[in-house]
């Protein structure tokens, strides 16, 4: 039988891609015969062609119900294509068409791309081998809530630090929005302000999908009004994860998947510094690279799949033990308790200590990649400060938009701090220039950044250059002052754990701390905030998973 759809403006699509024209026509013919009255059947003969079709469907605001892809295709395999398609239409059902010899690969794809089904070729007769499978998948698709998210609208000044912060907050939390710059000739921005009863004196103004204007909203107000969760469903959990970077997301996924009542608490947005990376190419399982945004979004969806609660805009200011419970206190005075806690707060970029730059944050001076600014840099020179992977990844990204990208690094070269693959890539891009032995020692600007002063740290020579864009990736500040008197830390503020502690003073148990356990039993640490950790995404995820294993061991012996 065929599934039925309610009346709608445009038919949802079923897309099929196979590089064999005969097979491609055959599967499209069978699909049209059975589903053509209810669904639009889209046929492609390569992965890139199919992705182009999906992008067009996305721009039209239409839906895709199912995607069928051949496993063996040149340029892009069926698994690679389905992985990319999942980012565009995560609710679409995914089917892999495979020969008998590739059955093992199809089974592996179930985990890689959350495959819904695989079909062996040939599928004749379709009445027995094709239609029953698709009927079930389409019925399941129809039963899900796929209402498109209505768009948030943001009105503000181009060179307003708070307008930038709002846009960055929405982007990093995967909230779709449209930006309206209040400038000469921008009539729509003025119309929206008039409708909101504002004259532009108080900005930014955020219009919610329901049409409610928010005037100069705080992050917490913004989060609550655009559908992000800010309030826990209960007051006690098995596990509280503090921090939503790779380590925190890894811990949350493993905690939830292993049956622990888990809540993840994040101050700003999940992903941490890695979430702002334009391209991560050395993470296991992504041979073509993955953006920090994509990796974060998938991890967040995976955590939600395992019933993990994710709270945003909640700033943890204290941690204490109350009997067997571990209690965290938020900045607003409320509290949350659990049997165990994993600290995964990561590190923050240090600000540049150079005269003239203090008041220009968000107005030409940015800390981190700020990829939302990429298109705005078109035709301009961009300066990046830092020699680690985050700076290299940002250079590759901004080189696609900017006229020239200058990497300012204090060392003699990038060799000591950046991965070899990134150094090689940078060397092949003509508009990326490395400035070794160089520091930013000053800047000027009225409304926004206008000039930078650079100094060669060997010759002492200084030069002032015109610059409207500066992105800094320097240092690693753990921001753990709120743990004073609670947990043992090293001289730089990083949290000590396991063997680095020995037997800490006042340790109440008859065993030493577990490997990632802090000086407070039941509180563990993972990722960059741990003393002497490896500052890489993969190691952070691994530590998050390992911490959950130790949480289980702690609970079993408590």
């Amino acid at each position: 039988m065929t599934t039925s759809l309610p009346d709608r403006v445009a038919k949802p699509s079923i897309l099929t891609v196979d590089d064999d024209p005969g097979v491609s026509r055959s599967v499209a013919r069978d699909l049209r015969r059975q589903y053509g009255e209810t669904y639009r059947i889209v046929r492609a003969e390569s992965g890139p062609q199919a992705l182009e079709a999906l992008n067009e469907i996305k721009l039209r605001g239409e839906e895709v119900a199912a995607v069928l892809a051949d496993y063996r295709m040149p340029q892009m395999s069926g698994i690679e294509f389905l992985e990319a398609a999942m980012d565009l239409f995560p609710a679409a059902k995914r089917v892999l068409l495979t020969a008998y010899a590739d059955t093992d690969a199809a089974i592996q794809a179930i985990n890689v791309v959350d495959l819904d089904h695989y079909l062996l070729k040939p599928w004749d007769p379709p009445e027995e081998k094709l239609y029953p499978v698709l009927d079930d998948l389409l019925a399941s698709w129809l039963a899900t809530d796929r209402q498109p998210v209505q768009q948030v609208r943001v009105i503000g000044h181009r060179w307003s630090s708070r307008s930038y912060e709002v846009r960055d907050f929405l982007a990093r939390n995967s909230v779709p929005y449209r930006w309206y710059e209040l400038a000469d000739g921008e009539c729509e921005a003025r119309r929206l302000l008039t409708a909101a009863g504002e004259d532009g004196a108080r900005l930014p103004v955020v219009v919610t999908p329901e049409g409610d204007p928010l005037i100069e909203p705080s992050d917490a107000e913004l989060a609550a009004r655009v559908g992000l969760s800010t309030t826990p469903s209960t007051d006690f959990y098995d596990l509280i994860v503090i921090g939503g970077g790779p380590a925190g997301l890894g811990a949350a996924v493993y905690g939830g998947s292993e049956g622990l009542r888990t809540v993840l608490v994040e101050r700003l947005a999940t992903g941490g510094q890695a979430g702002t990376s334009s391209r991560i190419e050395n993470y296991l399982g992504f041979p073509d690279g993955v953006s920090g945004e994509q990796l974060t979004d998938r991890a967040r969806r995976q955590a939600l799949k395992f019933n993990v609660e994710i709270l945003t805009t909640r700033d943890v200011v204290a941690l204490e033990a109350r009997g067997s419970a571990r209690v965290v206190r938020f900045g607003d005075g409320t509290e949350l308790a659990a049997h165990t806690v994993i600290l995964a707060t990561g590190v923050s970029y240090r600000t540049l200590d150079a005269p003239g730059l203090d008041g220009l944050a968000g107005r030409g001076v940015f800390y981190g990649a700020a990829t939302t600014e990429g298109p705005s840099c078109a035709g301009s020179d961009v300066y990046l400060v830092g020699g680690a992977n985050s700076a290299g990844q940002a250079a590759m990204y901004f080189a696609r938009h900017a006229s020239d990208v200058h990497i300012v690094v204090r060392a003699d070269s990038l060799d000591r701090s950046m991965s070899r693959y990134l150094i090689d890539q940078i060397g092949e891009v003509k508009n990326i220039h490395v400035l070794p032995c160089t520091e930013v020692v000053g800047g000027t600007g009225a409304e926004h950044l206008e000039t930078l002063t650079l100094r060669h740290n060997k010759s002492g020579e200084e030069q002032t250059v015109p610059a409207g864009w500066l992105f800094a990736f320097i240092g690693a500040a753990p921001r753990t002052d709120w743990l004073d008197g609670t947990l043992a830390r090293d001289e730089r503020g990083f949290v000590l754990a396991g063997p680095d502690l020995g037997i800490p003073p006042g340790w109440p148990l008859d065993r030493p701390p577990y490997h990632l356990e802090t000086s407070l039993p039941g509180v563990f640490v993972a990722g960059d905030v741990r003393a002497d950790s490896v500052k890489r995404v993969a190691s952070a995820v691994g530590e998050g998973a390992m911490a959950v294993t130790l949480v289980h061991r702690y609970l079993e012996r408590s």
Side-chain angles (χ1 to χ4, degrees), residues 255-308:
S257 68
E258 294 179 12
L260 297 176
R261 290 172 299 166
T262 303
V263 59
L264 185 151
V265 180
E266 169 55 45
R267 184 176 59 86
L268 182 63
T270 52
Q273 289 184 7
T276 67
S277 176
S278 58
R279 202 74 182 165
I280 302 169
E281 297 197 48
N282 58 353
Y283 189 72
L284 186 66
F286 292 89
D288 298 318
V290 61
S291 73
E293 181 182 4
Q294 289 174 315
L295 191 63
T296 297
D297 184 58
R298 293 179 186 188
R300 181 169 47 216
R301 294 204 313 258
Q302 197 171 11
L304 294 172
K305 171 185 174 181
F306 292 121
N307 299 314
V308 173

Side-chain angles (χ1 to χ4, degrees), residues 411-426:
D412 293 340
S413 70
L414 299 174
D415 292 337
R416 286 190 294 175
S417 54
M418 191 177 291
S419 294
R420 188 73 242 172
Y421 82 91
L422 265 175
I423 296 174
D424 292 341
Q425 287 182 356
I426 287 169

